[in-house]
């Protein structure tokens, strides 16, 4: 087999063969030896940046450290300064991998990885996708992702798609007419797997459901579907597995880091402990016990070009009580810390609570394809939805009754039926938005 994907990484200067060999060695470290390995890697990366990175030296305020928990927690706002001011000594923008975060947390920034760190990120991704028989050199991907609409950006992504054996469905318009065309591609192409944004794939799943189609009946080569970037709710997973006809795997990642957690074949959300160190911290930045909720804070163990040490990604989560340092399990991802609804009583609720409570009612009849909840005032919310018919007064009463029960009474809602919902520049659907 001609390894076009590996070759494209190699030509771009990413030492993928060495990275995969190094990654395999990490996998072989025993459970008993893993704490020592992890402590060594944590100390190495901090000492490197304290010695070679002026930005990180200034953040820490000294050139050495004794206690890991004394190290500052790095926020996205800390990183909103020119990249050249954050790079380590002997690294320039010309010799590193440079990209930009999506800004879904509200704080976009440009970041860098040295080529070795980026290669081991790919080794990690290749390993996890391999759990499901996906080979990036030979497996053909149906990709539901955004794409830059400027000429150069568009062509660049299409070339990357070709080299990576994938066919991209742009997701800014997913009307039934467009999805008719998507279905035609599945009838004529031998796709091995689906990968993309959760909301877009769920929308395609609902399109299939409305037509009573099982996708593997028209594309029998399909093996698995990986969803990413947005919350996957259990009922959506059930719908997708029924109408795609394949297992649906939940992925949690960040472009500036790596895959953070990936559903393993035992249906556990296994945290990446090979290239990352994931902590759950309370509001005072103290570690919480397994099973307790807190901020997700992550250290990149290999990135020497740019420090991501105790980096607060902006999510709230819980590590399972059965976690170990070698095999942490993400029990629950609750959502972004920035996606919080402030209520008249003073209560703070994760915005996705509104979305989830509403979802259980609004989608029951199958007419509503997708929706978002926006907080406009302390006691006021807009619900924008795409549907073949208007919501009934009974549905509206049910929604408001459920929200009064699960959150608090006295809140006001406006319902806006739309042709399409507004997505970010990358095509993500932000299910809850606060305008406060």
């Amino acid at each position: 087999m001609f390894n076009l994907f590996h070759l494209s990484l190699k030509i771009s200067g990413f030492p993928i063969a060495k990275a995969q060999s190094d990654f395999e060695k990490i996998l072989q470290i025993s459970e008993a030896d893993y704490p020592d390995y992890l402590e060594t890697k944590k100390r190495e990366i901090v000492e490197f940046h304290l010695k070679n990175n002026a930005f990180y030296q200034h953040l820490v305020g000294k050139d050495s450290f004794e206690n890991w928990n004394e190290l500052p927690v790095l926020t996205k706002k800390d990183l909103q300064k020119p990249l050249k001011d954050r790079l380590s000594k002997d690294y320039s923008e010309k010799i590193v991998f440079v990209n930009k975060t999506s800004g879904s947390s509200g704080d976009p920034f440009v970041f860098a990885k040295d080529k070795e760190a980026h290669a081991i990120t790919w080794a990690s991704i290749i390993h996890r996708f391999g759990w499901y028989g996906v080979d990036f050199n030979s497996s053909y991907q149906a990709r539901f992702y955004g794409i830059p609409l400027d000429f150069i950006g568009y062509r660049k992504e299409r070339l990357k798609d070709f080299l990576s054996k994938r066919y991209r469905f742009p997701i800014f318009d997913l009307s039934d007419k467009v999805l008719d065309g998507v279905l035609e591609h599945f009838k004529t192409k031998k796709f091995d797997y689906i990968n993309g944004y959760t909301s877009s794939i769920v929308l395609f799943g609902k399109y299939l459901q409305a037509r009573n189609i099982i996708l593997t009946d028209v594309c029998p080569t399909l093996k698995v579907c990986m969803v990413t970037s947005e919350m996957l709710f259990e009922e959506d997973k059930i719908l997708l597995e029924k109408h795609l006809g394949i297992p649906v795997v939940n992925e949690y990642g960040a472009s500036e880091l790596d895959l953070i957690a990936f559903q393993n074949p035992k249906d556990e959300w296994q945290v990446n402990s090979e290239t990352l160190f994931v902590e759950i911290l309370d509001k005072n930045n103290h570690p919480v016990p397994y099973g307790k909720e807190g901020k997700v804070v992550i250290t990149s163990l290999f990135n020497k070009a740019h420090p991501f040490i105790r980096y607060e990604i902006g999510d709230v989560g819980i590590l399972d009580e059965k976690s170990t340092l070698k095999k942490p399990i993400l029990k629950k991802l609750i959502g972004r810390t920035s996606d919080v609804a402030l209520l008249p009583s003073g209560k703070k609720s994760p915005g996705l609570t509104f979305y989830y409570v509403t979802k259980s009612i609004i989608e029951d009849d199958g007419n509503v394809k997708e929706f978002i909840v926006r907080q406009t005032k302390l006691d006021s919310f807009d619900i924008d939805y795409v549907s073949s018919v208007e919501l009934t007064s009974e549905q509206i009463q049910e929604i408001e009754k459920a929200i009064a029960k699960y959150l608090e009474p006295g809140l006001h809602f406006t319902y806006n039926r739309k042709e399409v919902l507004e997505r970010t520049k990358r095509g993500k659907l932000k299910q809850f938005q606060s305008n406060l």
Side-chain angles (χ1 to χ4, degrees):
M1 174 60 66
F2 181 51
N3 294 345
L4 193 59
F5 179 72
H6 277 68
L7 185 64
S8 67
L9 286 174
K10 194 174 174 183
I11 288 169
S12 300
F14 302 116
I16 187 63
K18 182 179 185 302
Q20 285 186 284
S21 171
D22 291 344
F23 191 83
E24 282 300 319
K25 287 173 187 167
I26 299 168
L27 292 174
Q28 299 310 315
I29 298 169
S30 70
E31 189 83 55
D33 292 338
Y34 217 78
D36 287 344
Y37 161 77
L38 201 52
E39 282 307 307
T40 301
K41 290 305 296 180
K42 285 160 59 182
R43 181 161 287 278
E44 278 176 6
I45 199 68
V46 173
E47 287 178 349
F48 178 87
H49 284 297
L50 285 175
K51 186 177 178 184
N52 296 287
N53 191 286
F55 162 76
Y56 192 65
Q57 289 165 4
H58 178 73
L59 194 74
V60 175
K62 52 186 180 179
D63 59 9
S64 63
F65 80 107
E66 294 302 320
N67 184 342
W68 178 264
N69 292 328
E70 289 173 4
L71 290 170
V73 169
L74 184 66
T75 68
K76 297 193 178 195
K77 283 193 165 53
D78 292 326
L79 301 173
Q80 288 176 316
K81 52 185 67 179
L83 180 61
K84 63 182 175 58
D85 297 341
R86 291 181 273 126
L87 288 175
S88 300
K89 196 166 64 181
D90 299 329
Y91 289 95
S92 72
E93 291 181 45
K94 289 180 180 175
I95 63 164
V96 295
F97 170 76
V98 177
N99 206 343
K100 187 178 181 181
T101 66
S102 67
S104 55
S105 64
D107 299 309
F109 61 89
V110 175
F111 67 89
K113 291 181 187 177
D114 59 83
K115 294 200 168 179
E116 291 77 12
H118 192 56
I120 206 160
T121 291
W122 272 113
S124 158
I125 295 167
I126 289 164
H127 169 72
R128 283 168 172 79
F129 274 61
W131 288 343
Y132 296 92
V134 172
D135 180 336
F136 285 8
N137 288 303
S138 58
S139 300
Y140 193 21
Q141 179 191 138
R143 188 171 182 81
F144 286 78
Y145 261 71
I147 192 166
L149 298 177
D150 64 285
F151 182 80
I152 293 173
Y154 182 87
R155 293 291 159 206
K156 194 174 171 185
E157 287 303 311
R158 285 296 188 196
L159 176 61
K160 279 161 66 177
D161 287 342
F162 170 73
L163 294 173
S164 303
K165 274 194 73 74
R166 59 199 189 202
Y167 184 87
R168 186 184 305 233
F169 300 111
I171 57 177
F172 298 107
D173 178 2
L174 289 173
S175 60
D176 283 357
K177 187 179 176 184
V178 171
L179 290 175
D180 287 342
V182 170
L183 183 60
E184 285 306 308
H185 281 286
F186 278 95
K187 288 177 180 176
T188 57
K189 292 180 169 64
K190 292 183 176 179
F191 289 118
D192 293 290
Y193 67 112
I194 298 169
N195 189 9
Y197 293 160
T198 308
S199 64
S200 303
I201 297 172
V202 168
L203 204 55
F204 184 48
K206 289 178 179 175
Y207 164 90
L208 297 171
Q209 180 187 40
R211 286 150 187 79
N212 202 24
I213 294 169
I214 307 295
L215 193 59
T216 45
D217 289 346
V218 299
C219 184
T221 51
L222 277 174
K223 297 188 195 81
V224 67
C225 169
M226 282 83 171
V227 296
T228 190
S229 290
E230 300 153 343
M231 295 290 266
L232 174 66
F233 295 97
E234 188 58 34
E235 57 267 40
D236 288 337
K237 184 177 180 180
I238 292 165
L239 172 122
L240 286 178
E241 292 194 330
K242 180 178 177 183
H243 286 280
L244 299 180
I246 49 178
V248 173
V249 174
N250 206 354
E251 174 190 304
Y252 169 41
S255 55
E256 63 271 36
L257 297 166
D258 194 338
L259 283 183
I260 299 166
F262 198 75
Q263 187 183 316
N264 68 23
K266 293 180 180 174
D267 209 23
E268 300 165 318
W269 222 1
Q270 188 170 330
V271 173
N272 169 5
S273 65
E274 293 85 21
T275 75
L276 305 175
F277 172 56
V278 176
E279 300 174 85
I280 307 292
L281 305 183
D282 66 18
K283 62 182 180 181
N284 298 314
N285 295 330
H286 298 140
V288 301
Y290 291 149
K292 295 288 184 186
E293 170 188 318
K295 301 184 294 186
V296 180
V297 173
I298 302 178
T299 298
S300 176
L301 298 171
F302 287 89
N303 193 353
K304 291 182 175 177
H306 185 293
F308 283 106
I309 295 167
R310 305 199 90 200
Y311 163 59
E312 186 177 332
I313 192 167
D315 290 332
V316 176
I318 302 170
L319 285 177
D320 199 286
E321 292 86 344
K322 65 184 175 190
S323 297
T324 66
L325 286 175
K326 183 172 171 66
K327 189 183 173 183
I329 302 295
L330 188 63
K331 185 175 188 175
K332 195 173 182 185
L333 188 64
I334 295 156
R336 296 249 164 218
T337 49
S338 56
D339 295 341
V340 172
L342 306 174
L343 304 180
S345 65
K347 183 177 177 180
K348 293 182 181 179
S349 286
L352 279 168
T353 310
F354 278 87
Y355 181 83
Y356 194 77
V357 170
T358 306
K359 181 181 178 66
S360 63
I361 298 156
I362 210 171
E363 295 185 343
D364 272 356
D365 64 356
N367 287 316
V368 177
K369 295 179 181 177
E370 55 182 2
F371 70 98
I372 56 174
V373 180
R374 283 183 293 118
Q375 184 169 19
T376 54
K377 296 178 187 170
L378 208 56
D379 64 348
S380 302
F381 298 81
D382 283 354
I383 295 178
D384 297 345
Y385 66 98
V386 177
S387 177
S388 50
V389 294
E390 293 271 356
L391 286 175
T392 65
S393 57
E394 289 82 6
Q395 283 176 306
I396 287 170
Q397 281 176 355
E398 284 296 309
I399 289 166
E400 294 181 3
K401 196 163 79 179
I403 285 171
K405 179 182 173 185
Y406 287 99
L407 291 145
E408 66 182 56
L411 303 176
H412 306 292
F413 294 86
T414 306
Y415 301 86
N416 309 301
R417 189 173 159 217
K418 304 270 190 180
E419 289 292 317
V420 291
L421 294 182
E422 193 178 322
R423 284 173 150 81
T424 68
K425 285 182 182 177
R426 293 202 180 181
K428 292 184 187 180
L429 184 71
K430 203 169 179 203
Q431 288 128 335
F432 175 84
Q433 301 166 20
S434 175
N435 296 343
L436 296 187

